[in-house]
Amino acid sequence: MIRLESLSYRYAETPTTVLRQISLTIPKGQLVGVVGPSGAGKTTLAQVMSGFIPHVFGGEVTGAVTVAGRSVRNTPLPLLVSDIGLVSQNPFNQLSGAKFSVAEELAFGLENLGVPRGEMVSRVDETLRRLRIAHLAERSPYQLSGGQQQLVAIGSMMVMRPGVLVLDEPTSQLDPAGSGLVFDALGELRERGVTVVLIEHKLEQLAEVADRILALVDGELRMDGPPSTVLAADELADWGIGRTRFTAAAVAAATHWPCGRPLPVTLAEAAAGFAEGAP
Amino acid sequence: MTQDFYRPGTSLIHRWNPVTTLSLSLTLVVTAFASQALWLPAALLVFVVFPAALVSGVFRRLLAWLARFLLPVILLLFVIQGLYHQDGPLLDLGPVGVHLDGVLFATRTALRLLVLTGAFLLLLFTTHPGELMTALVAHGMPPKISYLVSATMQIVPAFRQRAHSILDAQRARGLRTAAGPIGRVRALVPLVGPLVLGALSEVDERAVAMEARAFGATTRRTSYTVIADSAAQRVSRWSMLVITIAVIVLSATGVIR
Ligand SMILES: Nc1ncnc2c1ncn2[C@@H]1O[C@H](COP(=O)(O)OP(=O)(O)OP(=O)(O)O)[C@@H](O)[C@H]1O
Ligand SMILES: [Mg+2]
């Protein structure tokens, strides 16, 4: 569970407030998508939700943040991160550097936590298989493509089985198949009760998998609701977030879209609407 | 770079616990330097380093690297020490003379350098650096030191790669990089900014990534990779330690000379 109460944040030595008066509650087991234009504060929000702001990055925080029942401000970082995973934007910087193979890289966090070896091996194998990177197990993490490194970074967090998982554009360098794999895996984690926060520009896939979408613009939470309402909103295009191809098609085909029917955000919704609208 | 030395193999030495190989290398180096005797480093080279290299199938590479690293150094050593030394000449060749002390010193130093370099090349050729680190941590070395070594070995080449791509990007935008030594140094100047700034701004990000994976945890660590060890190897490591100490003592007391 994640709760923010009128949270505002300013980076150290900068005048601008990057997050403004954000209040929201994410219940356990919800998969929440975060959309917003570049510079909106998405990465900053991810760091707030995972406790690295203010523990690693200084700056000025006002308001309260509670994650997994703990006050972020009053909990030491090692304890905090024991139940929160953050996959950050740049996969290269998430490689530990300590390990010479992908399998060992995945095991790194578990080694630090002192997980018994037998369990460690089975969790690593499961993660390798789940993300279809078993063929890379013996390769050096530094000799992988960006997309492959992204899968390793995601796997290195999934393998630790945190109760809250925050992912900052985890599929930015992946092909459609790889992205699909990640979205499916995140859907499964949600079924197991993991709270997932997913910052993502791929609106169509987000619409399929997310329970809820937050639209962040200029550090403000402008919209918060189910994908079908938030992603279909007219404002999204003005904010530079764009819209799904399905929404765009319905708008473009205005006269063929049934009057009064909400705009579609998934393929199924679009197909149903056009079927109804057809003469 | 160091990773390039290692090539997988199945020989006895490849299968050794890396700590055993490291012990062998250290024993060779310390004993070769402990004594003034010429025969000792020569014997180590001929009866230990070379046979070990033959057994592990790296003999040709070892010779090639020794020649590349040491041949020029050794030649220089003989020329300088042999010709210009204080005591009387061994051979009088008119204006130049060859001095016995100089030749002895050069021979001893050359043999020692050969053992030193040979022993470490043997280690590097047959031991995976990651396995060496894992094995050392298993033997009580602090994981932070292992981290420092491993990360340096992997991140430095990655940074070198980045330097190349920054240079390419700046060339593409019209930066001219001239040939020749001065031109090459000048080509580095525009790299400094992006590299240093990039590295600094990523320090926080790296710290976050390590923290997220519990690197700061105080729990007793476990290890994913298990590196085989055996009673025989443990015995041989202790024996090497005893031999090393014995050679130091015997040399200091003048028994070995
Ligand atoms: N370390 C920092 N110090 C000062 N200001 C920062 C820092 N990091 C980000 N900012 C500023 O905070 C604002 C939000 O940045 P943030 O990285 O959270 O945006 P984002 O929504 O993740 O953007 P993108 O989609 O490009 O990743 C930006 O105006 C940025 O310039
Ligand atoms: Mg970002």
Side-chain angles (χ1 to χ4, degrees):
Chain A
M1 209 235 6
I2 303 173
R3 187 202 299 275
L4 309 186
E5 289 161 80
S6 3
L7 172 102
S8 296
Y9 178 71
R10 194 166 53 73
Y11 278 100
E13 289 157 38
T14 56
T16 39
T17 308
V18 174
L19 296 175
R20 300 158 202 253
Q21 296 289 323
I22 297 182
S23 296
L24 55 88
T25 303
I26 302 174
K28 176 173 150 52
Q30 199 170 57
L31 198 163
V32 179
V34 179
V35 298
S38 286
K42 304 181 298 295
T43 297
T44 311
L45 184 66
Q47 272 150 357
V48 166
M49 286 177 167
S50 46
F52 293 110
I53 284 177
H55 284 286
V56 173
F57 302 91
E60 187 190 311
V61 184
T62 56
V65 185
T66 318
V67 182
R70 296 184 175 115
S71 153
V72 163
R73 197 190 315 245
N74 302 327
T75 311
L77 191 58
L79 187 61
L80 206 56
V81 297
S82 65
D83 203 33
I84 307 173
L86 172 67
V87 177
S88 64
Q89 219 165 345
N90 180 347
F92 174 78
N93 283 342
Q94 279 176 91
L95 297 177
S96 67
K99 299 297 176 180
F100 291 79
S101 78
V102 167
E104 290 175 299
E105 180 70 24
L106 291 186
F108 180 68
L110 301 178
E111 289 183 332
N112 292 333
L113 291 175
V115 172
R117 180 160 187 278
E119 189 189 335
M120 186 148 62
V121 170
S122 73
R123 282 211 223 169
V124 168
D125 284 349
E126 183 201 310
T127 308
L128 286 169
R129 262 183 286 118
R130 187 66 195 82
L131 295 175
R132 306 229 178 100
I133 47 175
H135 61 291
L136 304 177
E138 297 308 319
R139 292 264 300 274
S140 159
Y142 285 87
Q143 283 153 16
L144 300 178
S145 73
Q148 289 170 331
Q149 280 181 347
Q150 226 157 14
L151 290 173
V152 172
I154 296 167
S156 69
M157 278 296 134
M158 276 175 43
V159 78
M160 295 176 78
R161 301 200 179 148
V164 174
L165 186 58
V166 182
L167 304 102
D168 193 354
E169 301 185 30
T171 69
S172 58
Q173 301 180 49
L174 284 169
D175 60 16
S179 311
L181 217 60
V182 171
F183 282 103
D184 289 349
L186 295 178
E188 266 172 40
L189 290 182
R190 179 240 331 256
E191 301 312 317
R192 284 197 233 147
V194 178
T195 309
V196 181
V197 177
L198 175 58
I199 298 172
E200 188 52 75
H201 289 299
K202 294 179 178 139
L203 303 183
E204 287 162 23
Q205 275 144 310
L206 213 47
E208 296 283 351
V209 72
D211 300 310
R212 174 177 170 192
I213 302 285
L214 311 177
L216 195 67
V217 181
D218 283 340
E220 289 172 7
L221 184 59
R222 294 278 172 89
M223 276 194 173
D224 176 358
S228 53
T229 37
V230 175
L231 294 180
D234 283 337
E235 297 93 321
L236 246 60
D238 304 334
W239 292 336
I241 297 169
R243 48 179 24 149
T244 71
R245 284 174 304 167
F246 312 120
T247 317
V251 171
T255 53
H256 295 275
W257 189 253
C259 200
R261 192 184 176 97
L263 288 172
V265 298
T266 63
L267 178 60
E269 288 169 10
F274 283 117
E276 192 189 309
Chain B
M1 185 196 114
T2 327
Q3 285 138 288
D4 303 338
F5 284 111
Y6 170 72
R7 297 209 190 130
T10 52
S11 78
L12 180 69
I13 296 183
H14 280 90
R15 280 179 284 131
W16 271 356
N17 185 300
V19 178
T20 309
T21 323
L22 178 65
S23 307
L24 176 65
S25 300
L26 291 176
T27 304
L28 286 168
V29 174
V30 175
T31 48
F33 278 82
S35 154
Q36 295 291 313
L38 283 183
W39 63 266
L40 191 64
L44 292 175
L45 199 62
V46 176
F47 296 113
V48 185
V49 177
F50 288 163
L54 276 169
V55 166
S56 46
V58 297
F59 188 58
R60 281 162 151 271
R61 275 174 74 210
L62 188 79
L63 286 188
W65 279 84
L66 284 180
R68 215 169 108 190
F69 272 151
L70 291 184
L71 211 55
V73 180
I74 290 175
L75 284 179
L76 203 65
L77 199 65
F78 272 97
V79 170
I80 293 173
Q81 290 296 329
L83 298 184
Y84 306 97
H85 211 270
Q86 296 186 342
D87 302 334
L90 177 69
L91 270 176
D92 222 334
L93 305 171
V96 288
V98 176
H99 302 257
L100 179 60
D101 278 4
V103 171
L104 278 180
F105 177 84
T107 311
R108 187 184 304 119
T109 309
L111 285 169
R112 284 174 172 177
L113 285 178
L114 283 167
V115 174
L116 173 87
T117 316
F120 276 104
L121 284 175
L122 190 67
L123 175 72
L124 292 177
F125 286 161
T126 59
T127 313
H128 188 280
E131 286 180 5
L132 176 61
M133 289 302 135
T134 309
L136 284 172
V137 170
H139 279 81
M141 187 178 81
K144 300 244 148 104
I145 294 182
S146 150
Y147 175 72
L148 212 66
V149 175
S150 309
T152 309
M153 280 171 60
Q154 304 203 77
I155 295 174
V156 168
F159 267 99
R160 200 165 357 156
Q161 226 165 17
R162 180 186 306 187
H164 281 293
S165 45
I166 294 175
L167 204 55
D168 285 345
Q170 296 188 336
R171 277 207 198 98
R173 280 178 284 159
L175 178 82
R176 284 175 50 205
T177 45
I182 294 175
R184 241 171 289 142
V185 170
R186 279 179 47 188
L188 292 176
V189 175
L191 283 182
V192 175
L195 264 183
V196 171
L197 287 180
L200 282 183
S201 71
E202 283 165 17
V203 168
D204 278 345
E205 218 174 308
R206 289 193 164 277
V208 165
M210 295 302 278
E211 205 61 64
R213 293 166 75 191
F215 191 56
T218 47
T219 26
R220 203 185 148 78
R221 286 181 169 75
T222 44
S223 178
Y224 177 79
T225 319
V226 178
I227 294 178
D229 203 359
S230 63
Q233 286 188 62
R234 270 191 290 275
V235 171
S236 59
R237 287 197 297 265
W238 282 108
S239 318
M240 285 191 262
L241 184 64
V242 172
I243 292 173
T244 309
I245 294 171
V247 170
I248 293 174
V249 171
L250 294 178
S251 306
T253 53
V255 179
I256 295 180
R257 47 201 190 113

